[in-house]
Structure formats: structure tokens, C-alpha cells
Amino acid sequence: WATKIVGIALSLSAFAMALVLSTKELIMCITGYIMFALSRPFNVGDHIQLSGVQGMVVDVDLMNLTLSETNGSHQITGKRIILPNSVLLSAIITNNSSLNAYVVSTLRIAVPYATPRAELTEIAIEVASEVCEPWAQDSLRHFQQLGSIAMLETPSNKVEVFWHPFDTKQHWVEIRFMVPVSQQEKVAQDIQNGLWARFGEQLIAANQ
């Protein structure tokens, strides 16, 4: 009898293990939905980023999270993304849904070593400051409010330029600026176009 009992126990253990493995994704999806329901990191209609994708939340059911994909300017591309709720257990979620929300964004441009640093830095600050002027004060007040709530140091609303070595031929120029969340892509293009209009000839000459 002991041998038969051991055999039955082993069979039950194997069956239980196979059941857990076959339903692992189902269990994780349901657990992810429960965590979502308890913490509510976002709601339907919010714009979020997670697992390398971004979009507007269309639906959240017991098994899946459905997004309407958007580009860098938060414009809907027409594609629908369906993710299993299991991603909510480990993914880093960025919620960009707050109205009038601002972020500190960056634009990186590769320039030759021969580029005059001081001149390019000055022009980059001028161009970016002009582009960001319409919301400069609102963005500063936004971060001051967040800082007072979270007891954190408030970032400056002034444009900053940083130089980073890339290889033996060029530098990365990093321009940091405050921008509305929904306009990051457009503003970066405006700054790049303005910088090229004012400094393009010098960059071409430095590259020769």
C-alpha cells in the first residue's frame, strides 16, 4: 500500500505542477488586473507608456489592456495594441494624462569636434528659449507645485546645454528644456530647425 500511495502522491504532484504551468499566464493576468483595480495607476482615456509602447488607454478587462497607439506628439496612429495584464506586474508605467502637465525633455545632436562650443551653446539656448517662451512661467509653476507637494527640489525652467564626447570625431550636444507632454516631438523639431537655420553653415564648415 505504501508504494501505491507514493505513486498516487507523485501523480497528483505532477498533475498539480502541470496545471500551474498551463495556467500561469492566466493567473498572472488576473493578478495584474487585481493590482490595477486596487492601485489604479491609470484610467481609461489616460495616455501611458509601458513595455516600450505608448498610447491612450481604451479598455482594461480581466485579461487584457488595450491601447490606441500614439506617436511622440500624442497623435493617434490608428493602430491598436493589446497587452496581457501580466505586464502590469513588472512593467514601469508612465502616466502622461495630467492636463497642462510639463516634463523636462532633451534633444541630442551630434556635432564635429571643430564646432565652436561657446557660439553653438549660446545659439542653442537662444533658440530653445524662444521656442519654449509661451509656457516658460506655467511650466515653472507646475514644477513648483509638484515640488511643494513631494518636498523635492524644483528644476529650473531655463534651457541648459551639455556637451558629451562621443568618439574621436564628434560630440553629443544635449539641450534640456521644459515642454508640454503632448508637444515633445514637435518642440524638439522646432528647436532643431531653428538651430540649423542659425548655425547650419558653421556646422557644415566644421565638418569639412
Side-chain angles (χ1 to χ4, degrees), residues 63-75:
M63 298 300 298
N64 299 313
L65 163 66
T66 304
L67 303 178
S68 182
E69 185 187 51
T70 58
N71 58 21
S73 297
H74 291 200
Q75 297 172 327

Side-chain angles (χ1 to χ4, degrees), residues 47-106:
H47 184 276
I48 66 171
Q49 294 174 267
L50 79 165
S51 296
V53 299
Q54 65 176 359
M56 182 180 297
V57 181
V58 176
D59 185 36
V60 185
D61 58 28
L62 189 63
M63 298 300 298
N64 299 313
L65 163 66
T66 304
L67 303 178
S68 182
E69 185 187 51
T70 58
N71 58 21
S73 297
H74 291 200
Q75 297 172 327
I76 294 175
T77 64
K79 298 179 182 179
R80 179 161 290 194
I81 302 172
I82 300 176
L83 300 170
N85 287 338
S86 56
V87 303
L88 300 177
L89 298 175
S90 57
I92 298 175
I93 302 172
T94 302
N95 190 334
N96 297 322
S97 62
S98 301
L99 294 178
N100 299 319
Y102 298 89
V103 295
V104 177
S105 188
T106 60

